[in-house]
Amino acid sequence: RVDELNKKNMVHYTFFFNVFVFMQLFNEINARKLKKEEVNVFEGFSRNMLFVGILVGTAVVQILLTEIGGKAVRCTPLKLRYYIMAVVIGAGSLVVGFISKQIPESCLLYTSPSPRDRQKSRMPSSA
């Protein structure tokens, strides 16, 4: 019974570890285009093969760690459906990135104006 619970916990932890890594991979894609008008984060994606290689390499290493890393990385092999779910959940960060670019700046809370904004409004500098 204890071994069965430990196995279930290991699958659970390994799955969430995978979700975390795949969310990070998709966030790296999001981080390529930060300007509000740059909606298509995949534009020019294939022009930077080093970036693509790093993404693919990270995914491959992640899968190898979980499949053959065993006790050394405290992971257990997962079924294909868990990998698919982890990738789908991770891809959700692309949706979050898209939605966050649609928020009007007027809705964002600023704690203090940037130097550029101070110059535009000719506010006195608080230096």
Side-chain angles (χ1 to χ4, degrees):
R1 176 91 177 128
V2 172
D3 286 340
E4 184 180 319
L5 286 174
N6 284 340
K7 174 70 174 163
K8 284 184 180 180
N9 283 340
M10 288 297 290
V11 170
H12 180 81
Y13 296 142
T14 302
F15 172 70
F16 278 103
F17 177 49
N18 272 306
V19 168
F20 172 77
V21 170
F22 284 108
M23 287 178 83
Q24 183 60 39
L25 287 176
F26 284 104
N27 190 48
E28 289 174 23
I29 295 169
N30 265 336
R32 295 180 63 249
K33 306 282 184 176
L34 296 176
K35 295 179 183 171
K36 184 176 181 122
E37 59 274 359
E38 296 176 324
V39 179
N40 183 4
V41 294
F42 292 103
E43 183 181 341
F45 188 76
S46 62
R47 283 190 298 225
N48 189 344
M49 293 313 290
L50 177 61
F51 179 74
V52 173
I54 289 170
L55 286 178
V56 170
T58 302
V60 168
V61 167
Q62 174 65 18
I63 292 167
L64 289 175
L65 280 174
T66 57
E67 289 299 310
I68 62 175
K71 289 183 180 181
V73 291
R74 296 185 182 185
C75 289
T76 189
L78 296 175
K79 295 180 179 177
L80 179 61
R81 68 178 178 203
Y82 289 115
Y83 285 108
I84 292 170
M85 286 191 297
V87 170
V88 168
I89 293 169
S93 67
L94 294 173
V95 176
V96 171
F98 175 80
I99 291 171
S100 67
K101 288 180 181 180
Q102 307 311 308
I103 300 172
E105 285 186 38
S106 61
C107 294
L108 300 175
L109 176 66
Y110 293 103
T111 56
S112 64
S114 70
R116 180 187 56 168
D117 293 336
R118 263 186 265 156
Q119 185 179 18
K120 283 182 183 176
S121 64
R122 297 187 180 163
M123 291 174 52
S125 178
S126 59

